[in-house]
Each structure stands twice: as structure tokens, then as C-alpha cells.
Amino acid sequence: HAKACGRRQAQYYNQDISTTAKARFLLESQLTDAIAHDGLSVFYQPIMSADGSAVVSAEALVRWQHETQGFMSPADFLPLAYETGLIAALDLWVLNQVCRDIQRAREQDLPMPPVAVNLSADSIMDPLLADKVWESLQRYQVLGTQLELEVIEDAIKGDSTVLRCTLEELVRMGITLSIDDFGTGYSSLLRLKSLPFTKLKIDHSFIQDLPGDPDDCAITLSILGMARGLGLKVVAEGVEHGEQEAWLQHQGCDYLQGFKYHKPMPVDDFLELLITA
Ligand code: C2E
Ligand code: MG
Ligand code: MG
Ligand code: MG
């Protein structure tokens, strides 16, 4: 009897897998298509000065306007992009789109601050990354100083000469390198010191309960202290209210990012904000 039940379960299970597999396959081909035919879009989230008053840069965040599932955020499709190896192509598409937007702003004489693009481990480990970035800057006549690149700690954990060369080449182009979601991954402070990163972004999970949670205060303070010692700038992610802002300001955090200021928005809204701000 137990066997029979097991068999029936196995059947359902298999059926489940095959429907899921079909759905995933469809989504994968749609994502491939979206990357190839500009079916994605880039939203810009302003990053503010320490007092929260001025936009100093922005982060580019990918969005997908799916034909049947509507607006999809990264959490809905990035895991698939990672698993299927599409993530590097997606990153490159975002980078190109950002350069295109910077060029367009310049053509219209509109101000545009530096923009940070997120890179996956696949991208940062690509030996041809520096060439691809250079090509993109050239194509849209964008200066390296107008670009920042963000990677999470775990993307740079391997010690490879390829990675080191890539990072150094990017820095030579004038690009700022940041560590994203700092504090959530594997990181050796020694490696941090030896690689040419100049900015840390404190993960929003540590910011969320500031200033009420003593552990989060201690963690954030130690990141700020270490960053100051190493000469790194610090961005606090996920700032949502005034008490967080006041505390971070008081502790000398350099930049603030979060819904308290602005949510990610389409490029036209972002450019308009810069004019009226
Ligand atoms: P991230 O790089 O840490 O980006 C910050 C995320 O926090 C964004 O989510 C942003 O919308 C959200 N956020 C900003 N302020 C607040 C706040 O005050 N409260 C809360 N709760 N959230 C806030 P989003 O756009 O959904 O992106 C999620 C993640 O997806 C990003 O985290 C990044 O790791 C990844 N991602 C986004 N675009 C790309 C891309 O082009 N390439 C790659 N490889 N990853 C990307
Ligand atoms: Mg980021
Ligand atoms: Mg982050
Ligand atoms: Mg994050």
C-alpha cells in the first residue's frame, strides 16, 4: 500500500516537474528574446548626499515588462537568468542601456550624475569584461567617470589574477568600483584592502532597524569605522525614515539611498527630477 502511494506521489511529482520545466523553458526563451530585442528596461534610483538633500548619483535597476505577467522585478527573473547563464548578457544589456541614456541626456543638455550598474559574478569573472565595458563607453561616448560598477562580496571571493586585472583596467578607465550588500556575504577584509574598491554599500538588512536595534547599530558603526580607516566611501541602502537618516548622518555615512528619498523610476522621470531638484 505504501508503495502504491509512493508511486502515485511520484507520478504527480513528475507531472509537476514537467509543467514547471515547460513554464521555465518558456520564460527562459522569453527572457532571451527580451535581452536581444530591448524588451527590458532600466529604472534609476537616486543616491543622495549625506544630508539627504542632493542627488549625487543613481543606481540602475533592471525591470522586465512581461507580456502576460506584467511588470517583473529582479527577484522574479534574476534567479532564472543566473541558472540559465543569461545573466552576463543581461548585465551587458543594462550597461549599454545606461550608456545610451547618458548619451541621450548629454545630447539634450540635461544633467546626469554618475550611474551605478550591478554586475553578477559571471560578468565580473569574464576575462573580456573590461573590453566589453570599454566598447560600450566608446560606442556612446561616455567617460568612465560617469560609470560605477557594483558587485556583491561573494562575486569576488575567488583569488584570480583575471579578476585583479579586470578591476585594475576598469579603475584605469575612471570607473568607481563598489561592493554591494556589504556584510551579507563572505568577505575577507584583507582582500578588500588589496582590491581597488573605493565604495561599500551597507545592506538594507542592517539599516532596516536602525537606530533601535543595538546589534545593527554596532554592525553599521563597525563598517563605517573600518571604511573610514581604509579610505572607502559608504552608502547606506534601504533608508526609509527620518530616524535612520538622522542616525546615519550623525555617524558620518557618506551617501543615502532608499524609499525615504526616491523609489527607482524610469529614465525620463529621473531626468525631470534632476532639472526640478
Ligand atoms: P541591490 O543592488 O542591492 O539594489 C537595491 C534594491 O533595494 C533594489 O531592488 C531597490 O529597489 C531596493 N530598495 C531601494 N531602496 C529601498 C528601500 O528603502 N526599502 C526597500 N525595502 N528596498 C529598497 P530591486 O530593484 O528589486 O533589485 C533587487 C536586486 O536585483 C538588486 O539589489 C541587485 O542585486 C539585483 N539587480 C538589479 N538590477 C540588476 C542588474 O542589472 N544586474 C544584476 N546582475 N543584478 C541586478
Ligand atoms: Mg546594487
Ligand atoms: Mg545592495
Ligand atoms: Mg540588496
Side-chain angles (χ1 to χ4, degrees):
H1 181 68
K3 251 188 188 164
C5 284
R7 202 172 307 136
R8 198 173 309 122
Q9 257 172 16
Q11 267 173 10
Y12 286 130
Y13 188 57
N14 283 336
Q15 201 175 29
D16 234 46
I17 285 188
S18 67
T19 3
T20 316
K22 259 183 224 155
R24 278 173 52 95
F25 184 75
L26 179 64
L27 203 61
E28 181 186 343
S29 73
Q30 289 169 334
L31 184 58
T32 308
D33 195 62
I35 296 169
H37 301 106
D38 294 341
L40 302 174
S41 57
V42 173
F43 273 33
Y44 291 81
Q45 185 178 30
I47 296 175
M48 315 302 288
S49 56
D51 65 1
S53 71
V55 176
V56 293
S57 62
E59 177 170 10
L61 295 158
V62 71
R63 298 289 182 267
W64 182 13
Q65 178 66 59
H66 188 274
E67 44 192 62
T68 54
Q69 300 192 31
F71 232 14
M72 287 172 81
S73 42
D76 304 325
F77 63 93
L78 281 192
L80 181 75
Y82 271 90
E83 287 160 30
T84 54
L86 286 168
I87 188 70
L90 181 147
D91 287 345
L92 196 62
W93 183 86
V94 171
L95 175 73
N96 274 300
Q97 185 58 41
V98 164
C99 289
R100 225 182 297 184
D101 287 341
I102 293 173
Q103 182 190 48
R104 198 168 60 97
R106 195 184 47 231
E107 282 169 359
Q108 296 174 249
D109 274 318
L110 297 172
M112 182 84 150
V115 178
V117 171
N118 291 283
L119 291 182
S120 63
D122 280 13
S123 295
I124 203 74
M125 290 302 173
D126 176 1
L128 294 176
L129 177 70
D131 293 345
K132 290 172 182 171
V133 171
W134 179 247
E135 206 181 296
S136 187
L137 292 174
Q138 292 296 102
R139 185 180 317 141
Y140 300 103
Q141 291 296 295
V142 169
L143 294 172
T145 49
Q146 289 171 280
L147 198 65
E148 298 189 8
L149 295 173
E150 297 185 3
V151 291
I152 59 164
E153 290 167 277
D154 286 347
I156 52 159
K157 67 183 170 192
D159 191 21
S160 75
T161 30
V162 173
L163 172 68
R164 197 170 290 273
C165 284
T166 298
L167 297 177
E168 278 162 11
E169 270 188 80
L170 294 170
V171 168
R172 270 199 295 276
M173 293 177 209
I175 297 168
T176 296
L177 301 178
S178 316
I179 304 207
D180 203 357
D181 299 357
F182 189 75
T184 61
Y186 164 103
S187 80
S188 139
L189 300 180
L190 180 68
R191 276 180 62 63
L192 191 62
K193 190 185 105 174
S194 73
L195 294 172
F197 287 89
T198 52
K199 229 184 226 187
L200 296 183
K201 301 188 74 174
I202 305 179
D203 191 66
H204 62 85
S205 59
F206 301 118
I207 305 299
Q208 198 171 295
D209 299 324
L210 292 179
D213 184 309
D215 291 343
D216 290 334
C217 288
I219 291 167
T220 304
L221 275 175
S222 81
I223 295 175
L224 286 167
M226 180 202 66
R228 199 170 299 125
L230 294 176
L232 305 169
K233 297 286 184 197
V234 178
V235 184
E237 300 192 298
V239 178
E240 295 187 354
H241 54 76
E243 295 95 89
Q244 291 166 320
E245 180 191 65
W247 190 87
L248 287 160
Q249 251 167 36
H250 185 249
Q251 305 301 340
C253 186
D254 302 286
Y255 308 110
L256 308 169
Q257 175 181 4
F259 297 166
K260 176 176 195 306
Y261 312 101
H262 303 281
K263 292 198 168 175
M265 59 186 92
V267 64
D268 290 336
D269 295 356
F270 180 57
L271 291 172
E272 200 174 300
L273 171 81
L274 291 168
I275 301 169
T276 51

